[in-house]
Amino acid sequence: MRIISYFLVLLLLTACSTQYPNKNITGEIFPTVEGQTLEKKSFTIPSDFTDDVTLLLIGYVQNSQFDIDRWLIALDVTDTQVKVYEVPTIQGLFPQMFSTFIDNGMRSGIPKPLWQGVVTIYDDGEQVQAFTGNENISNARVVLLNNKGKILYFYDQGFAVDALNEIRGVLSNQPLSK
């Protein structure tokens, strides 16, 4: 019975997904969307970001976590100095209905000190997916924003060392505010 329940929940979570073509959004302004950290604090992207630049690691399905983890490890190993947020972004009515269940699952797998850096988007999930595209849905979307919400770099192919080096290059060319 438990397996059937999990299967039913999985089916409901994926039933109403809309397919959006991938596109390059570099140079565009990130849409204003609202979410909540795993600490249960409301968060508005991009206006709540206070740093000169912010890196978003956006995942649309649980399998995106593989790419996100590789990005986090690579950023740490290369001592890349940028504020990073994981942004699970889920579209559809059913995920909204099961948001507590989903968030509690994430809380159980993420150490509590990191919860403030995980902002889950439910209500505006479809808006983000339409903006970036969601083909190859398991690939993480990597979005580097300046403090005005302008996208300085975008990558939607999961993880790649070349992409990491490109982000580091963009970061090294950014003027810092004083």
Side-chain angles (χ1 to χ4, degrees):
M1 184 65 172
R2 192 173 187 178
I3 292 173
I4 293 171
S5 296
Y6 284 129
F7 179 73
L8 183 58
V9 168
L10 180 63
L11 180 64
L12 291 174
L13 292 175
T14 59
C16 294
S17 296
T18 302
Q19 186 80 27
Y20 298 102
N22 289 356
K23 54 188 168 184
N24 185 353
I25 56 174
T26 303
E28 295 186 34
I29 301 296
F30 199 87
T32 299
V33 296
E34 295 185 7
Q36 187 178 67
T37 69
L38 290 182
E39 292 179 323
K40 299 184 181 182
K41 294 181 183 173
S42 294
F43 203 91
T44 301
I45 296 173
S47 62
D48 284 345
F49 297 137
T50 58
D51 294 299
D52 291 328
V53 290
T54 303
L55 186 66
L56 306 181
L57 300 174
I58 302 171
Y60 295 141
V61 294
Q62 185 176 0
N63 287 344
S64 302
Q65 192 64 49
F66 180 72
D67 287 335
I68 291 170
D69 289 343
R70 290 191 297 169
W71 275 102
L72 292 170
I73 290 167
L75 291 163
D76 183 54
V77 167
T78 58
D79 196 30
T80 302
Q81 299 298 308
V82 65
K83 181 71 175 180
V84 179
Y85 288 86
E86 289 185 58
V87 186
T89 303
I90 306 162
Q91 71 168 331
L93 176 61
F94 290 112
Q96 290 175 25
M97 292 171 48
F98 290 99
S99 63
T100 301
F101 175 77
I102 294 168
D103 289 343
N104 285 337
M106 285 190 284
R107 284 185 195 99
S108 70
I110 298 172
K112 192 170 185 173
L114 303 179
W115 288 2
Q116 80 279 357
V118 179
V119 180
T120 306
I121 308 291
Y122 289 104
D123 292 342
D124 296 328
E126 186 163 357
Q127 180 182 358
V128 175
Q129 290 190 29
F131 181 67
T132 68
N134 62 6
E135 295 173 333
N136 302 319
I137 198 160
S138 292
N139 291 352
R141 274 48 179 184
V142 180
V143 180
L144 183 65
L145 304 172
N146 70 10
N147 56 8
K148 293 178 178 40
K150 182 178 179 181
I151 299 166
L152 305 174
Y153 183 83
F154 176 72
Y155 188 74
D156 64 359
Q157 301 300 308
F159 173 79
V161 173
D162 287 344
L164 172 66
N165 290 332
E166 289 171 2
I167 287 174
R168 291 174 54 79
V170 171
L171 288 170
S172 69
N173 291 321
Q174 287 303 302
L176 300 177
S177 63
K178 298 182 182 178

